[in-house]
Amino acid sequence: MSQPVPGFVPSTAPPGRPEGQRKLLARCWKFLAQRWEWSALTILAVAPLVVPALGGALGGQVTTLFIYCILALGLNVMVGYTGLVHLGIAAFFGIGAYVMAILTVPMFPFQIGFLAAAVISVLVTAGVGLALGAPTLRLRGDYLAIVTLGFGEVAKVTLRNLEQITGGMKGLNPVPPPGAGVTVGGINLGQAFAIDPRWFYYLTLLLLAGVVVAMRRLEDSRLGRAWMAVREDELAASAMGISATRVKLSAFAMSSAVAGLAGCLYAASLSTTADPNAYDFNRSIMVLCAVILGGLGSIPGTLLGVALLVGFDTVLAPWADSWIQQMNINPTGSSLLSFSGWRLAIFGLALVLVMRYRPEGLVPSRRIAAELHSAEGQA
Amino acid sequence: MSVQFFLQQCLIGLTNGALIALVALGYTMVYGIIGLINFAHGDLIMLGACLALTLVGALGLAAAGPAATWMGIILLVVLCGLFCGGLNVAVDRLVYKPLRTAPKLAPLVSAIGVSFIFMNVGLFWLGPSDRSFPELLPSTNLLGGEGLQVTWKDLLVLLVVAPLMVGLTLLVRTTRLGRAMRAVCQDPTAAALVGIDVDRVIAATFFIGGFLGGAASVIYGLYINTIGFQMGFQNGLYAFTAAVLGGIGSIPGAVLGGVVIGLVRALSSAYVSERWTGGIVFAILIVILVFRPEGLLGKRVKEKV
């Protein structure tokens, strides 16, 4: 519209201003898009100081959200980067949580500190991942998916039934908070964690940021490129000298380790492992859906996917229910007229629609999107 | 006593296995033809069971005489079969068909989505708690005496399942449609080139799989006597495991896998503990897949370049 006319200088500023504003906005947007990690991190780091609600129950919910983000980033290594469908990630989440609990609860003689327990439980989950992956990775895609699904069920049944070790349906508790009994600068860390949820908020935020940075670095590393090469074409990758089995095994171990880390944080932040049903197939499927919805192999996509799914359950559904109650639309309390009655259907419909119109996910990784569109161009 | 107990458990395993096999066929046929793990199949069967329960009430079968009861059961099998088959075809048309060329995970996630939608429908239909399905068949022992218990229910399962399986085998082996299905299974593009309407064959596969599932839902109701909106998940999981165990894509494999899973479940519930059954079934699955990655009766497929 505003084609500059040679020799004509606009006499007033106003016609130019919207243009300038738009440019500024576009620039801000570009900055945010490119540096989204920093912007998000800054906002999240400042939030507890500004929003007092984060010192209460909301802080705990956001902490859980961060933990699921870490879990989903772990799953993304296998499903997104390496292209292996994993239907049992919750089992590794659970193993992480239970190892953490076994090493710290007063019921057992170990009672080691949080840090040592976290390191051990991450190593143990990685080891379990290797042990499951080593004999099964030569299976074709869908069979591997079934093995992970089966492992998830075996793990759930074992956690439920080994009552002497796992506490059966009650789970293990109380898991002490990090730094219990340690005093730094006059603050008893354990008590601080127990009283104010913001301590956990910052701990999980810090670890999430660390995982994001690690994933970012991994994507560009030799190993990360090998993962993606195997995903695109296993045969071609092996012809280039990549050992497909070793690369897949490392993805399996990495996925399991990150899921284990998420598990430890989960147990520590709830101060219990909760009952074994928290680690069942539904949890695995939810996390998988989050990763695929957000965009396979894309870090911002994975985070957005988790935020949407968890937000839907913990923010939108209760809000809509209370709104319906306030508006007095549903005087009889029928589940047909309540929002949570339709929760599953809305969620299912969202999955179907996103897959139909945006199969690469909401924030796709550039490489996967390019590939999909090149396939469209050829067809 | 103990031999008799063992035989009794085997009978339970066999009837349960036949039921699982019927569901597994729906998974294996769809997988064989479009390579999709149809996560919604278990929940489709749950909806079939909902319809069966509603029809039993509407037809007043609980108070009918023996002849009318048997006629009613046949009617239920046909109606629920048509319902599930039709629903399966509709879902394929609306949801999976647009995704034929999409990346492989897209239809899988859509199937999970459809499964959630079905579950929500079932929640409205049945309510949140489990419902009991009326006992239409007398539970008298056909063999008489105190020995092995064989009831009409056990007989019903075999009476419905066996003809369906024979019919399916004949359909796939001898008819024109069966030949087209096998051709599409091997290579959809080549099948289309020789004039097979691939979309119609896929729709037919979904219909047959759904029909068998609908029949299974009626038998499930009559045999297990409890249905609930979450039943689809667990049963689907076992059936799918059976399909993989037998070699996914193989029809006799699904039947064999179903019977094996049924027997393992019954025997481990009887001799180990009911609580460990799920773990044992899946542990056996993993072990079998490690040593025979293509399943019991599956063909070894070379990875295509």
Side-chain angles (χ1 to χ4, degrees):
Chain A
M1 170 207 103
S2 57
Q3 202 80 331
V5 182
F8 174 74
V9 181
S11 57
T12 45
R17 246 178 76 196
E19 184 76 1
Q21 269 178 356
R22 212 177 310 147
K23 264 187 188 155
L24 190 70
L25 266 176
R27 233 170 167 179
C28 283
W29 177 244
K30 208 172 156 193
F31 178 81
L32 275 177
Q34 276 173 352
R35 300 249 172 268
W36 61 268
E37 313 96 324
W38 291 111
S39 334
L41 188 63
T42 318
I43 294 171
L44 289 174
V46 175
L49 307 174
V50 186
V51 184
L54 281 171
L58 182 67
Q61 284 178 350
V62 179
T63 303
T64 314
L65 172 69
F66 291 159
I67 292 172
Y68 284 138
C69 283
I70 296 177
L71 179 62
L73 285 173
L75 182 66
N76 187 38
V77 170
M78 234 181 117
V79 187
Y81 297 154
T82 324
L84 304 169
V85 183
H86 193 319
L87 296 175
I89 196 70
F92 295 94
F93 187 54
I95 292 171
Y98 271 90
V99 172
M100 179 77 192
I102 287 170
L103 290 175
T104 53
V105 287
M107 199 180 122
F108 290 108
F110 311 108
Q111 297 186 32
I112 59 177
F114 173 80
L115 266 183
V119 170
I120 293 176
S121 83
V122 167
L123 290 177
V124 168
T125 17
V128 173
L130 282 175
L132 177 67
T136 55
L137 273 176
R138 66 198 177 96
L139 295 177
R140 278 192 305 138
D142 294 307
Y143 286 84
L144 184 68
I146 299 315
V147 166
T148 55
L149 189 161
F151 179 75
E153 289 297 300
V154 173
K156 187 187 79 179
V157 170
T158 312
L159 290 179
R160 197 188 294 164
N161 291 338
L162 273 185
E163 274 159 359
Q164 303 89 328
I165 300 175
T166 62
M169 294 304 284
K170 293 194 300 292
L172 287 173
N173 57 46
V175 179
V182 180
T183 312
V184 179
I187 303 171
N188 185 331
L189 274 183
Q191 253 174 13
F193 266 104
I195 292 167
D196 192 341
R198 277 178 287 192
W199 282 82
F200 254 115
Y201 179 97
Y202 279 117
L203 177 69
T204 46
L205 181 62
L206 196 69
L207 284 169
L208 175 60
V211 172
V212 168
V213 171
M215 289 295 161
R216 189 32 74 77
R217 304 295 301 146
L218 265 174
E219 273 181 4
D220 297 331
S221 72
R222 200 183 161 83
L223 182 61
R225 284 177 285 138
W227 285 338
M228 290 175 216
V230 167
R231 174 188 75 200
E232 297 306 326
D233 193 331
E234 195 175 324
L235 200 71
S238 342
M240 301 302 289
I242 293 173
S243 158
T245 321
R246 256 177 56 196
V247 165
K248 286 201 239 170
L249 206 52
S250 64
F252 216 131
M254 180 63 73
S255 250
S256 314
V258 177
L261 174 70
C264 320
L265 290 172
Y266 188 70
S269 73
L270 292 182
S271 87
T272 167
T273 57
D275 76 299
N277 287 333
Y279 312 104
D280 67 358
F281 181 66
N282 279 329
R283 180 63 46 87
S284 300
I285 284 291
M286 283 292 175
V287 178
L288 182 68
C289 286
V291 173
I292 296 174
L293 264 186
L296 278 174
S298 144
I299 296 172
T302 301
L303 299 181
L304 179 72
V306 177
L308 285 179
L309 289 200
V310 175
F312 179 79
D313 262 350
T314 55
V315 182
L316 185 64
W319 178 81
D321 269 338
S322 71
W323 184 77
I324 287 174
Q325 211 163 26
Q326 271 176 13
M327 299 304 280
N328 211 10
I329 300 171
N330 184 15
T332 53
S334 135
S335 64
L336 268 172
L337 283 175
S338 80
F339 184 81
S340 27
W342 290 89
R343 196 183 77 91
L344 280 171
I346 293 170
F347 180 51
L349 199 64
L351 286 182
V352 170
L353 289 178
V354 170
M355 285 303 110
R356 173 75 181 81
Y357 295 105
R358 227 180 140 82
E360 71 269 33
L362 297 172
V363 189
S365 101
R366 239 180 309 153
R367 201 171 309 197
I368 287 184
E371 198 184 307
L372 276 175
H373 289 290
S374 82
E376 265 166 31
Q378 279 165 14
Chain B
M1 173 63 198
S2 80
V3 173
Q4 189 199 319
F5 181 72
F6 177 76
L7 286 177
Q8 186 73 57
Q9 298 310 317
C10 285
L11 181 70
I12 294 175
L14 198 67
T15 40
N16 267 314
L19 199 52
I20 294 173
L22 209 50
V23 182
L25 284 170
Y27 280 102
T28 219
M29 290 174 72
V30 166
Y31 186 89
I33 215 146
I34 56 170
L36 163 71
I37 302 176
N38 188 0
F39 265 106
H41 194 64
D43 300 285
L44 180 77
I45 286 156
M46 181 268 298
L47 287 186
C50 293
L51 181 70
L53 182 66
T54 308
L55 284 178
V56 166
L59 297 173
L61 280 183
T69 304
W70 281 102
M71 292 296 289
I73 288 173
I74 293 171
L75 187 69
L76 279 185
V77 167
V78 172
L79 285 180
C80 289
L82 290 176
F83 168 71
C84 287
L87 195 56
N88 223 9
V89 173
V91 169
D92 172 53
R93 244 321 110 81
L94 288 172
V95 179
Y96 307 136
K97 196 178 161 203
L99 297 178
R100 293 267 198 267
T101 53
K104 255 187 71 185
L105 277 176
L108 180 78
V109 174
S110 298
I112 295 172
V114 172
S115 134
F116 284 135
I117 297 175
F118 281 178
M119 231 196 275
N120 212 150
V121 174
L123 180 63
F124 286 139
W125 200 329
L126 290 177
S129 48
D130 283 357
R131 296 271 294 270
S132 67
F133 200 94
E135 297 253 8
L136 296 184
L137 296 168
S139 49
T140 46
N141 190 356
L142 293 176
L143 296 181
E146 294 293 301
L148 198 61
Q149 296 269 331
V150 181
T151 63
W152 276 109
K153 283 202 238 171
D154 301 314
L155 213 57
L156 167 85
V157 174
L158 301 177
L159 277 180
V160 175
V161 172
L164 282 175
M165 289 195 180
V166 172
L168 180 68
T169 312
L170 286 180
L171 178 88
V172 172
R173 289 246 173 101
T174 58
T175 62
R176 225 178 134 76
L177 175 65
R179 228 179 326 149
M181 280 163 74
R182 281 179 289 146
V184 174
C185 234
Q186 278 182 8
D187 190 334
T189 318
L193 280 175
V194 296
I196 294 171
D197 186 344
V198 175
D199 278 325
R200 255 183 68 191
V201 173
I202 294 175
T205 310
F206 268 93
F207 182 80
I208 296 169
F211 188 91
L212 297 175
S217 71
V218 177
I219 304 172
Y220 184 92
L222 291 171
Y223 185 72
I224 312 275
N225 292 118
T226 311
I227 64 174
F229 82 103
Q230 284 181 314
M231 68 182 245
F233 167 67
Q234 193 68 23
N235 291 295
L237 206 57
Y238 279 119
F240 181 57
T241 307
V244 174
L245 190 64
I248 195 156
S250 146
I251 289 175
V255 177
L256 179 68
V259 172
V260 170
I261 297 264
L263 286 174
V264 169
R265 260 177 77 179
L267 293 178
S268 70
S269 295
Y271 289 102
V272 187
S273 158
E274 181 116 38
R275 300 188 308 171
W276 287 96
T277 302
I280 291 171
V281 169
F282 287 103
I284 289 177
L285 173 80
I286 294 176
V287 171
I288 288 184
L289 284 185
V290 167
F291 291 107
R292 239 191 111 74
E294 66 281 2
L296 293 173
L297 296 183
K299 275 175 290 187
R300 202 173 276 268
V301 197
K302 281 235 174 92
E303 288 285 318
K304 278 180 221 161
V305 180

